Amino acid sequence: MIWALHGFLGRGEDWAAFRPLLSELSCAEPEFPDLFTVPTQKTAPEWGDEFSARVAGIDPSPSLIGYSMGGRLALHAMLARPGLFKRAVLISTGLGIEDPERRANRAKSDERWAERFETEAWSEVIAAWNAQDVFAGSPPMAERREKDYNRAALGAALRFWSPAAHEPLAGRLNIIEAPVLLVAGARDARYVREAERTAASLRNGDVWVVPGAGHRVPWERPESFKEALRDFFQQCSEVKPRASVTSDV
């Protein structure tokens, strides 16, 4: 079964357009958990431990897809049980912040965002979130309606699951046994560097840099993303080796 984890301000249904392909690739209905239904009190490592234990109890052959914050959570789940997941695709995923000063600044920024999501007019904070540089040139995601979220859960996620809230992961990734495909948009230079850094830290990591794409790769280049998934997964079988692919930009 394929478990797909959305990013911050996302919902499980963000993956709905990919459901037929994911069902085909795993010969099972995929799972798209919603991460913001209740406020978390768990750190990212604690969440990863609990999630991987739940998956282990019901799925004999799980694979992971994670986007942005969901990619970081996926890494924590894989670190909690390094031999559980058969393969993973991580999109626009960072490893955490090494520099203490940068970590402290990020924590302050995330706290401000958390307070805004908890208190500010919904339309204003959504507009501000989408105006960030990291999303420049990327099309908006599906409409984000206030009624679909627990605003306290959004604030808690920014506090507990921020890259500033956990130790950097690069030094631990060599315990992960599964093949991992790291995906980043060519216009998203920061996450291209993170993808390359992650791949270098893994036993079996490859990088796919998507020409013309930004941070929201699957929804900017859906057909290319589907093709890459087909190439990385073999239907109902073992992993198909994939050479690293990069763009020329």
Side-chain angles (χ1 to χ4, degrees), residues 180-182 199 205-209 231 241-247:
V180 182
L181 177 64
L182 289 308
D206 286 317
V207 177
W208 177 42
V209 180
D231 193 34
R242 174 190 174 91
S244 296
V245 180
T246 58
S247 71

Side-chain angles (χ1 to χ4, degrees), residues 6-222:
H6 59 73
F8 180 74
L9 202 58
R11 301 184 65 209
E13 65 183 30
D14 291 347
W15 301 107
F18 305 102
R19 180 183 293 277
L21 175 60
L22 298 183
S23 299
E24 175 190 332
L25 293 175
S26 65
C27 292
E29 278 296 295
E31 288 286 336
F32 304 149
D34 277 314
L35 302 178
F36 306 128
T37 55
V38 295
T40 187
Q41 294 296 318
K42 298 182 185 302
T43 64
E46 290 169 341
W47 185 93
D49 185 64
E50 182 180 87
F51 174 75
S52 62
R54 179 164 69 92
V55 171
I58 60 178
D59 188 352
S61 185
S63 297
L64 276 172
I65 298 176
Y67 163 69
S68 198
M69 179 180 279
R72 291 198 306 274
L73 292 174
L75 277 175
H76 283 286
M78 296 175 80
L79 287 168
R81 297 196 177 210
L84 174 62
F85 296 97
K86 306 309 178 187
R87 59 188 71 81
V89 178
L90 305 180
I91 308 129
S92 305
T93 297
L95 292 178
I97 303 172
E98 305 281 349
D99 180 71
E101 183 176 355
R102 286 185 58 231
R103 285 184 68 191
N105 289 338
R106 176 59 186 265
K108 291 176 183 177
S109 173
D110 285 332
E111 178 59 32
R112 289 193 293 270
W113 276 113
E115 292 172 358
R116 293 184 71 176
F117 273 100
E118 290 167 341
T119 64
E120 195 169 313
W122 184 254
S123 60
E124 293 177 7
V125 70
I126 293 297
W129 182 261
N130 285 321
Q132 293 180 97
D133 289 345
V134 70
F135 302 128
S138 295
M141 296 290 288
E143 182 184 2
R144 300 314 193 195
R145 300 173 299 183
E146 183 175 3
K147 70 182 184 64
D148 294 328
Y149 294 90
N150 180 317
R151 295 185 68 159
L154 293 172
L158 286 165
R159 295 185 178 99
F160 284 90
W161 297 343
S162 162
H166 61 76
E167 293 297 319
L169 300 177
R172 300 173 53 203
L173 296 186
N174 63 354
I175 69 171
I176 293 175
E177 301 173 9
V180 182
L181 177 64
L182 289 308
V183 179
R187 292 189 289 101
D188 196 8
R190 170 185 165 193
Y191 284 92
V192 171
R193 293 192 297 270
E194 285 291 272
E196 293 169 345
R197 187 162 74 106
T198 304
S201 301
L202 289 161
R203 294 187 192 181
N204 190 0
D206 286 317
V207 177
W208 177 42
V209 180
V210 187
H215 195 70
R216 294 165 170 161
V217 175
W219 301 278
E220 294 181 53
R221 297 290 186 272

